[in-house]
Amino acid sequence: MKIKFPISLKQILLFSFLIILVLGVSTALVSTLIRDDDRKKAEENNLAINERTAQTIQTQFENIKSNSYVFFQSYNYLRDDKEKSQLEDSFFRSNADILFVSTEDTGFLLNPDAVIHEKAAGNFINLHSGGLSTDYVNSSDIFGIPSLVLIFSYGFENDIKRAAVCIDVHFFCELMSTGSNNATMLADQNGTILINPDYDSQLKECSDAVKENIKTLLKNEKDSNTQNESGGIISAVNQISDNLFVITSVSEKSVYAVINRTTNRIILFSLAVFFMAIILIRIFSNNITNPIKELVGASAQIERGEFELDIKPHTHDEIGLLTSSFVQMGKGLAEREKLMTSFSKFTNKTIAQKAANGELTLGGENREVTIFFSDIRSFTAMSEKMQPKEVVEFLNEYMTKMVSCVNKTGGVVDKYIGDAVMAVWGAPESSGTPSEDALNAVTSALMMRVALYKYNLERKAKGLAPVRIGCGINTGTVVAGQIGSEERMEYTVIGDAVNLASRTEALNKPFATDILITENTYNLIKDKIITEQMPGVHVKGKADEIKMYAVINLSGRDRPDTLEEVRRIIGTTEPDLSKVDTDNEEKKYSIQA
């Protein structure tokens, strides 16, 4: 036998697979668990940073607006220019982050310490005078430093005025720059970024995923924050006053950086172990290659049914012991095969297998089965015209065709009684349910009808008389099991249901039918077969009338579809039941017309 894959290669592949599997599963398991833990911690930390930053930013904006509001109201009540100037100096000293303010009452007031040009600030005021579409304007590009202009209303109901306050957002940028992998920004409800600590990134708008979160928070009044992942970025969004949104993000790459480095080191270590294992396996595999090759060849012989093995152990280790065991196993299988082949000719193969496995013991059990009896009509007259050898040859040929039908439908031939055959469906093994067993028995009988019809054509061509049979089928509870002694047993079924099946078979002759079933069998499969009810029969030993049904065909098949057609096929004619001698067959039956 040609070996496509050497044993050494198989060993290398096997152990390599095991090594890779163990290391791979371990690495994946550890990596997954740590990744899940790291991700959970990263999400919790990101959300905590976001909430803390959002609260601080909102507080700062409220303080700026409150301080500015107090300043504008106070400025409006003062009439002395000197007092106004002192109030202005005090306000900018206390609010160093405010670059300038502008209202109708105060006009444009620039912080003396501001690093922006007054002209640029004036141009901004002129540019944004009138109706404004937003209360927050990112003025970083205009003034050249991170800055934000707040535009809000102040005053009373009948005297509402608009104010612009420009803030140096360096403090906010420092607040948002946590020093970790998290990045925080401030955006409005349209997704436009108002404060971005990474000013050099030129990031003007939020990502689409963050914009969707903003829209969700605007629609849902119950929630003020949310978090999701998109494009490898975990983003937490928190809504504060004036429809502003604090966005804190962290990339999955940075979250998994440590575990990725650890995983890569484990993979490199695994590869080193893998290559070392290949070298060691290759060195030691040559010592067992040849004996294993012999065993592989021996197993192929056994697979082909060649149980006589011509191999000898060459070593005194486990492989040598295995080789000796292989030889003994082959001898045992050869003996068992011979026994099974011989035994199966005398009993059913299923029973033979159970007997060989020691599963059959003396005793029985109650089972619901379908019993079948068939008998050749006028066999005694036929055999008288034949030599003993011819009788045996005829019966062997006939039985072979009939028993084949039983085997194909899952039945068990219980015994041969001269020219009669007794078979059982449902013991020792069932097809599933009593109705399935009953249908299989009827199907077997119909197959016998076809097989017998073809057999008679062959006999007719040889100038021989046709063979006619009768089949009786009954379903009922029997005792099934091994009957006999410890020295000799026979698996069979006994009970009243068996007797009724035998007597049912005998009724085919007066009814001129070939397949009769009892009411018990009929009720199980009546929707699957075509039958014709026969006159009621009083069977010896039975007080009630037994209904009999002549089987015509299985449901759904075209021909035959009447009992008259069946009788033409089997070569009988419709009898006159009123003239039937009911004393025949030891008065086993009486027909009720």
Side-chain angles (χ1 to χ4, degrees):
M1 180 180 65
K2 183 178 179 181
I3 299 177
K4 295 183 179 179
F5 301 100
I7 298 298
S8 58
L9 177 60
K10 291 182 180 180
Q11 289 179 314
I12 291 174
L13 292 177
L14 175 61
F15 285 101
S16 299
F17 171 76
L18 292 176
I19 292 171
I20 293 174
L21 179 63
V22 172
L23 294 177
V25 170
S26 301
T27 302
L29 185 61
V30 173
S31 176
T32 301
L33 293 176
I34 296 178
R35 280 175 180 270
D36 292 342
D37 189 54
D38 285 353
R39 181 183 178 89
K40 185 177 180 181
K41 291 180 179 178
E43 290 178 348
E44 293 175 352
N45 182 60
N46 190 60
L47 192 59
I49 292 175
N50 179 256
E51 292 177 349
R52 184 171 62 251
T53 305
Q55 184 177 5
T56 304
I57 290 175
Q58 179 165 326
T59 301
Q60 290 296 320
F61 278 142
E62 289 175 353
N63 291 337
I64 291 173
K65 291 173 67 176
S66 176
N67 293 340
S68 299
Y69 179 81
V70 171
F71 171 72
F72 296 148
Q73 293 289 69
S74 301
Y75 193 92
N76 191 37
Y77 283 114
L78 295 176
R79 295 289 181 267
D80 185 71
D81 292 340
K82 184 177 180 180
E83 291 179 349
K84 289 182 179 182
S85 178
Q86 291 175 349
L87 178 63
E88 178 183 343
D89 292 340
S90 175
F91 172 74
F92 283 120
R93 283 196 304 271
S94 301
N95 301 274
D97 292 333
I98 296 179
L99 301 177
F100 71 81
V101 296
S102 176
T103 68
E104 295 178 6
D105 297 328
T106 64
F108 177 79
L109 299 177
L110 180 66
N111 189 333
D113 297 328
V115 294
I116 62 174
H117 295 288
E118 182 177 353
K119 183 178 181 180
N123 291 336
F124 176 84
I125 296 300
N126 294 331
L127 181 65
H128 289 277
S129 61
L132 297 175
S133 59
T134 178
D135 291 331
Y136 295 84
V137 180
N138 187 344
S139 58
S140 300
D141 292 338
I142 298 174
F143 301 136
I145 61 172
S147 58
L148 181 69
V149 177
L150 278 70
I151 301 172
F152 60 95
S153 300
Y154 75 98
F156 300 100
E157 293 183 357
N158 298 326
D159 189 20
I160 301 299
K161 299 178 181 179
R162 299 282 285 175
V165 178
C166 183
I167 307 170
D168 183 343
V169 294
H170 277 95
F171 169 77
F172 291 94
C173 292
E174 292 175 359
L175 175 67
M176 295 177 181
S177 300
T178 60
S180 62
N181 295 319
N182 302 78
T184 303
M185 299 179 296
L186 180 70
D188 61 17
Q189 60 185 346
N190 297 318
T192 302
I193 296 176
L194 301 177
I195 299 177
N196 179 17
D198 188 10
Y199 179 70
D200 294 333
S201 67
Q202 301 298 318
L203 192 63
K204 303 299 182 183
E205 291 189 356
C206 298
S207 66
D208 293 337
V210 174
K211 287 183 179 180
E212 289 298 322
N213 286 342
I214 292 175
K215 291 180 180 179
T216 301
L217 291 177
L218 288 172
K219 292 179 181 179
N220 194 345
E221 297 179 357
K222 297 181 180 179
D223 297 330
S224 63
N225 62 344
T226 182
Q227 185 168 233
N228 76 337
E229 184 275 332
S230 177
I233 302 296
I234 301 173
S235 300
V237 181
N238 200 309
Q239 183 177 6
I240 60 177
S241 60
D242 297 331
N243 285 337
L244 295 179
F245 297 87
V246 178
I247 303 123
T248 304
S249 303
V250 61
S251 67
E252 289 186 339
K253 183 178 180 181
S254 61
V255 172
Y256 300 141
V258 176
I259 185 60
N260 286 339
R261 287 195 297 269
T262 304
T263 302
N264 291 335
R265 291 171 183 170
I266 294 175
I267 292 175
L268 291 175
F269 174 75
S270 300
L271 290 175
V273 172
F274 171 67
F275 286 114
M276 290 180 62
I278 291 178
I279 295 172
L280 293 175
I281 293 169
R282 180 61 181 172
I283 292 173
F284 291 104
S285 64
N286 292 331
N287 296 327
I288 59 174
T289 297
N290 292 334
I292 291 181
K293 285 183 178 179
E294 287 188 350
L295 291 177
V296 171
S299 65
Q301 282 184 260
I302 291 177
E303 186 177 359
R304 294 194 299 268
E306 302 172 6
F307 301 119
E308 297 293 339
L309 303 177
D310 186 19
I311 58 173
K312 296 180 180 180
H314 300 288
T315 59
H316 298 284
D317 54 10
E318 291 83 358
I319 296 180
L321 180 60
L322 179 60
T323 303
S324 299
S325 300
F326 235 76
V327 173
Q328 295 301 320
M329 179 184 68
K331 292 179 179 179
L333 289 174
E335 291 296 328
R336 186 175 183 274
E337 185 69 16
K338 291 177 183 178
L339 178 61
M340 287 296 297
T341 302
S342 300
F343 192 30
S344 297
K345 294 180 180 179
F346 294 94
T347 186
N348 178 266
K349 187 174 182 179
T350 301
I351 297 175
Q353 186 67 45
K354 287 181 175 291
N357 295 335
E359 299 176 10
L360 292 180
T361 58
L362 283 175
E365 60 178 339
N366 289 330
R367 301 196 67 150
E368 186 171 356
V369 301
T370 297
I371 308 101
F372 166 91
F373 278 91
S374 71
D375 189 40
I376 300 177
R377 294 288 168 258
S378 304
F379 177 70
T380 302
M382 289 177 58
S383 61
E384 289 177 351
K385 302 175 183 179
M386 303 166 64
Q387 296 297 321
K389 182 179 179 180
E390 294 175 336
V391 173
V392 174
E393 290 178 352
F394 161 71
L395 285 177
N396 288 340
E397 187 176 11
Y398 162 77
M399 293 296 185
T400 299
K401 297 180 182 296
M402 300 300 106
V403 172
S404 175
C405 300
V406 175
N407 293 335
K408 289 179 180 178
T409 54
V412 174
V413 175
D414 186 282
K415 61 176 62 69
Y416 300 106
I417 312 170
D419 61 309
V421 178
M422 175 184 172
V424 181
W425 281 260
E429 294 181 350
S430 172
S431 298
T433 62
S435 60
E436 290 176 333
D437 293 329
L439 181 61
N440 286 338
V442 173
T443 302
S444 177
L446 292 170
M447 292 170 63
M448 290 181 186
R449 176 190 289 168
V450 175
L452 187 63
Y453 178 79
K454 296 178 180 179
Y455 181 48
N456 283 332
L457 292 179
E458 297 175 3
R459 290 179 60 84
K460 183 179 180 181
K462 298 177 182 179
L464 300 174
V467 178
R468 294 187 178 88
I469 65 171
C471 303
I473 300 174
N474 178 44
T475 302
T477 302
V478 299
V479 176
Q482 288 294 100
I483 298 176
S485 66
E486 292 289 351
E487 288 77 20
R488 188 179 186 281
M489 304 181 195
E490 181 184 42
Y491 187 89
T492 187
V493 294
I494 58 175
D496 188 58
V498 179
N499 298 331
L500 182 55
S502 175
R503 296 175 183 181
T504 301
E505 180 276 319
L507 295 173
N508 281 286
K509 187 174 182 180
F511 286 153
T513 57
D514 64 338
I515 304 173
L516 280 178
I517 63 174
T518 64
E519 185 177 7
N520 298 333
T521 304
Y522 173 78
N523 288 334
L524 289 173
I525 58 173
K526 58 185 177 181
D527 57 335
K528 298 178 182 178
I529 58 174
I530 303 171
T531 61
E532 182 173 320
Q533 184 173 348
M534 306 306 292
V537 175
H538 280 102
V539 178
K540 184 179 179 180
K542 294 288 184 179
D544 298 330
E545 181 183 272
I546 302 298
K547 294 181 181 179
M548 297 290 170
Y549 297 85
V551 178
I552 299 172
N553 207 340
L554 295 175
S555 298
R557 295 189 179 181
D558 296 333
R559 303 285 299 276
D561 54 7
T562 64
L563 183 56
E564 180 182 358
E565 189 174 358
V566 171
R567 285 176 173 142
R568 284 200 304 269
I569 293 173
I570 65 177
T572 62
T573 58
E574 183 177 0
D576 184 357
L577 298 180
S578 62
K579 295 181 180 181
V580 172
D581 186 0
T582 57
D583 293 331
N584 287 342
E585 300 291 333
E586 299 178 356
K587 295 185 180 180
K588 291 179 181 176
Y589 54 83
S590 62
I591 300 176
Q592 307 297 315

